[in-house]
Amino acid sequence: MRADLMRSLSICLLAISFAATAADAPPKLPQGVGLVLGGGGARGLAHLGVIAELERLRIPISCIAGTSAGALVGGSYASGLSVEEMEREVTHADWDKLLAGVPERKDRPYVRKKDDRSNLLDVTLGLDANGLVLPRAAVSTQQIETFLRKLTRDTSVADFDTLPIPFTALATDLASGDAVEFRSGDLMIAMRSSMAVPGVFDPIRENGRLLVDGMLVRNVPVQNVKGRCADTVIVVDVGTPLTPIDEIKTLLDISAQQSNIFVRRNVSEQLARMGPGDVLIEPKLKGYSPADFALAPELIKKGREAAIANEDKLAAFSVSPAEYEAWKRALAARLAAQPSTYDVVKVEETRFVPESHVRGIVQGKQAGPMPREALLATTERLYQTGDFDRVSYAVRTEDGKRIADVMPVERAVGPNYLRFGLDFKIDSYNNAELGLLANLQMTWLNRWGAQWRNNLQLGNNQSLDTELFQPIALSPWFLSGRLTYGRDKFGIYDEDGREKGEFAIYSSTLGAGFGYSLGSLGEARLSYERSTVRGESIIGPVSPVEGQRLRLAGVHGQVVIDQLDNPRFPRNGYYLKADLSKVRARNEADVTRDATLGSFTGEIVGTLLRNTGRLTLEYAGNLTDGPQSLSPSGLGGFLKLSGYQDQEFVGARTMFGRLMVYRQLAQFVPQLGTGLYLGSSAEFGRVDRVYLEERSTGLIYAGSAFVGLDTLLGPLYLAYGQGEGGRKAGYLYLGVPY
């Protein structure tokens, strides 16, 4: 009896205990609404329009997960950047510059852009002991990362849950294929990793992993929100839909469809996690590509329209104005101001550029803390040297100090660079020429920055130029040793442009000297050179240079200023080049004669709207009455007295002027060229001491009309030229004709 009583009492006490425990436990609160933002390149800018409408409808967001462009928008918004601020940034950004992946040409050191006037392909290969090295990405993300730094204000926290809105970014581990969730650390690194489109943008190295775009594993990361931080979700899918069968016609279409199938499969798996109370928003983005960042206002509008179309469903998540304002105040209270100064700046190890050189540029004479703007400026200056695919930095806190770890990623194809090119020209005079070009640069041969530079041209005209370039203790001063060989062919024509003969000038030069680098402006040189020049008739009448062989020795000075934004179809800038040589010529009979040789080229370019004017003035030749074979120069051909034969007028001196006017009709993706142009030119020129005739031509006038295409292979022209006396010609030209 007593045992039964005790057992009953125990059961009652246990029940009371459970009841008390249940009463003390907080009731399970309904979780809020989560926002899932999918990837889609520029199409992801529609996310901004959706978020703007969610704010209008007073829908508080509990957490955000984003992939690629969704990580860009979601991370910025979660960190406290307003929709208005984001819209302003993306609509005013220079997307051509951001996506071009190269610094502005006027800011690059002249030593890195001096070969731009040759028609070399815009593809650089590497060369090492194992053979050719291919680029790791098509686009450098230097400018993009600077843009992301501006959006995130260098936010770095131990837990993304402490952001005003908890946030997760998705990336892909390129080695394992696993999804990588960013939930802490440097927000810019998380966003950039999620946006690293394979083959387009360079992967990110983080914690021993190589990370690329999260679209490969979870382009619409529903599972990172649903059931984790929110019971219900609003999902925005801006991915590219599958192409209908009747629109799949080319190899590119098939390749794009293959990629889309892969991505849409993981999207379908994620969308299957949605429940009946969730909302899927799919902006109508047909006709917009992932590269259409310049159409940001239109894409944002499409996002607004898609949200408005789902307003009835979204209304279920709306709260009262008072509740929404309370939520906004809570976000503001969680917004932590990020310091704009770094207590310590560290530089990671480099592969071939001396670390002392990198530290000297990044840290300079800066002692103590470094402001963010100063760090961004120094990393950009380091990137402009041309040795790096990108120069980024990561932010962290250690022992109460804010640390910036500068990560200089040297060029994957460096330090030895190989480029190829070609040019050809066909005209209505039945002339056709093909030239092959090669350029090899071996850099950082020693810790003082020595380079070995080589240029080779094969074709109707041939040349080899090899130079050893040695900066003096990494200062602007440098030493140079140079060897050149060339063969230039010239025609001899009658007054109607019919070829009567052909001759060639062979030359070889060995020189050594010094110079001073003007940084991005240009350079000045002074050298002592010894040359051999020989003339030879090929066909037709004997030219005045036949059998001549001269030995030259003297001093050569050169100054170059190059501030054109594009050497092919410049829109702005100027270019100046002046050469002057004082030589003593000795023939085979041991007769000597002094001569002064000189040349000058000046260009100025300006653009109003899409209309560009380009004025060019040139002079070249023998300033004295020395032998003609010292410096033959010629005029004739497309944009060099259009309508005439190529190099139809050859003599001891030439003077030339040209005014080009062209309009950009279409703009391309930067990696494919700058666009399509329609233009014309007015030209005049004069040649003194014409070969075989020893006369001056007087001023000759000519002009042209052309369609120009700036392509990956170089500038391509289809042109018509006309000169005096009814002389006219048609041209198909690939290469730089001036």
Side-chain angles (χ1 to χ4, degrees), residues 511-659:
F514 65 95
Y516 186 84
S517 171
L518 301 173
S520 61
L521 280 176
E523 67 178 21
R525 291 174 176 248
L526 185 65
S527 59
Y528 176 78
E529 298 180 350
R530 298 183 68 90
S531 305
T532 299
V533 180
R534 177 174 62 86
E536 177 182 286
S537 292
I538 300 175
I539 57 174
V542 176
S543 77
V545 299
E546 173 64 27
Q548 287 194 36
R549 185 182 186 89
L550 300 173
R551 295 186 300 277
L552 314 175
V555 178
H556 174 230
Q558 181 186 83
V559 176
V560 182
I561 303 292
D562 186 351
Q563 286 289 279
L564 295 178
D565 60 349
N566 177 352
R568 298 172 176 177
F569 287 94
R571 310 293 303 283
N572 293 285
Y574 56 92
Y575 176 84
L576 299 170
K577 181 179 180 182
D579 287 87
L580 187 65
S581 298
K582 187 72 174 179
V583 300
R584 174 159 291 180
R586 186 184 302 272
N587 63 19
E588 292 180 318
D590 220 22
V591 176
T592 63
R593 178 179 292 182
D594 292 337
T596 302
L597 313 177
S599 67
F600 170 81
T601 300
E603 291 191 293
I604 186 167
V605 186
T607 295
L608 179 61
L609 300 178
R610 291 194 170 190
N611 302 302
T612 300
R614 180 179 185 180
L615 177 64
T616 303
L617 297 174
E618 296 180 355
Y619 173 88
N622 190 344
L623 303 180
T624 57
D625 293 328
Q628 288 183 317
S629 59
L630 284 175
S631 60
S633 56
L635 294 177
F638 177 50
L639 294 180
K640 294 286 285 187
L641 291 185
S642 301
Y644 294 93
Q645 292 262 35
D646 187 50
Q647 300 276 346
E648 182 169 334
F649 307 101
V650 179
R653 284 186 292 269
T654 60
M655 290 168 284
F656 177 72
R658 176 181 61 236
L659 176 63

Side-chain angles (χ1 to χ4, degrees), residues 17-26:
S17 175
F18 279 135
T21 302
D24 291 340

